[in-house]
Amino acid sequence: MDVTQKAREKARGAVASAVGAAARVLPGHLGQQGGEGPARQTLTIARPAAEVLAAWRDPEVVSRLLGDVATARAGADGRWTLTPAAGEALRARPVEVDGGLELRRAEDGGPRAPQEDVRDSEDDTEGGRTGEQPGQGGDEDVLLRVSTRPAPGELGTEVTCEVARELSAGVGGVPFTLLYRLRALLLTGEVPTIEPQPAAREEER
């Protein structure tokens, strides 16, 4: 293994360790919501909203972002299957919303009747929407929600990710991890991982 590859492996390991440690030590700062509502986190990514949302529309990319939390795959009918590491598979349909994307629960018998979207588009300083609160107005049908808005100072896009407890198993750090991995993917082309690298260690020996 050359010096460049060794440096890259060490950098990936450092990033992964930081993500894991933050999710374990700082759950209150990583989108943990009280009660039974979804976990939520906002992160600024130095990429246009169109590029950010394109990544979320790709089930293979979303599966990479979820990592050991769950897997995602799309069926021939356009619906997705989200399979948590601990739990039963969840059927979902991607729905485009203003400035974002939602994965809404879909029953095997067919998609539910569309509901009027009355959420207020204005966000508060924590990145969560004002007006309607999580768990109201059909939010119980949303397994994953991504919304975007321009970041201040033309620094890219503020991306807010909400993950239902059913998908995240109640772990508040999941939205942070998803956004952190997405930012790394869009900026470097690689997703941080906490999986061991036995091949690399063998070469170092």
Side-chain angles (χ1 to χ4, degrees):
M1 177 181 293
D2 58 26
V3 175
T4 301
Q5 184 64 24
K6 286 183 178 180
R8 178 178 295 179
E9 292 291 344
K10 289 181 179 179
R12 279 203 296 256
V15 170
S17 297
V19 172
R24 290 191 300 271
V25 178
L26 301 173
H29 297 278
L30 302 181
Q32 180 68 52
Q33 295 287 94
E36 296 300 318
R40 182 194 297 114
Q41 179 66 36
T42 298
L43 196 67
T44 298
I45 299 178
R47 284 292 186 270
E51 187 174 342
V52 170
L53 292 176
W56 287 107
R57 294 188 188 102
D58 187 337
E60 292 186 6
V61 171
V62 173
S63 195
R64 292 178 66 189
L65 300 180
L66 287 167
D68 57 1
V69 173
T71 60
R73 61 180 178 83
D77 59 358
R79 299 180 188 179
W80 290 26
T81 300
L82 302 171
T83 307
E88 297 181 356
L90 305 168
R91 293 279 282 168
R93 55 192 176 96
V95 177
E96 300 281 345
V97 295
D98 186 21
L101 177 74
E102 293 180 351
L103 292 179
R104 297 180 183 173
R105 188 187 310 277
E107 300 295 342
D108 290 336
R112 298 186 179 188
Q115 300 180 359
E116 182 180 0
D117 190 345
V118 296
R119 289 191 302 275
D120 192 329
S121 61
E122 181 181 355
D123 288 3
D124 61 26
T125 56
E126 296 298 324
R129 293 181 180 81
T130 57
E132 186 175 74
Q133 299 299 311
Q136 299 178 354
D139 273 12
E140 64 274 8
D141 286 340
V142 178
L143 297 172
L144 188 148
R145 172 184 291 134
V146 177
S147 58
T148 64
R149 69 176 181 180
E154 299 182 351
L155 296 177
T157 305
E158 283 190 358
V159 187
T160 299
C161 177
E162 299 178 20
V163 181
R165 294 175 63 86
E166 189 173 1
L167 181 60
S168 68
V171 180
V174 171
F176 171 82
T177 302
L178 292 179
L179 292 177
Y180 199 98
R181 288 172 174 169
L182 176 64
R183 183 168 65 178
L185 177 64
L186 294 180
L187 297 180
T188 70
E190 297 184 353
V191 176
T193 176
I194 59 175
E195 295 178 358
Q197 305 292 330
R201 288 199 295 268
E202 286 294 331
E203 292 181 16
E204 287 177 356
R205 293 195 188 100

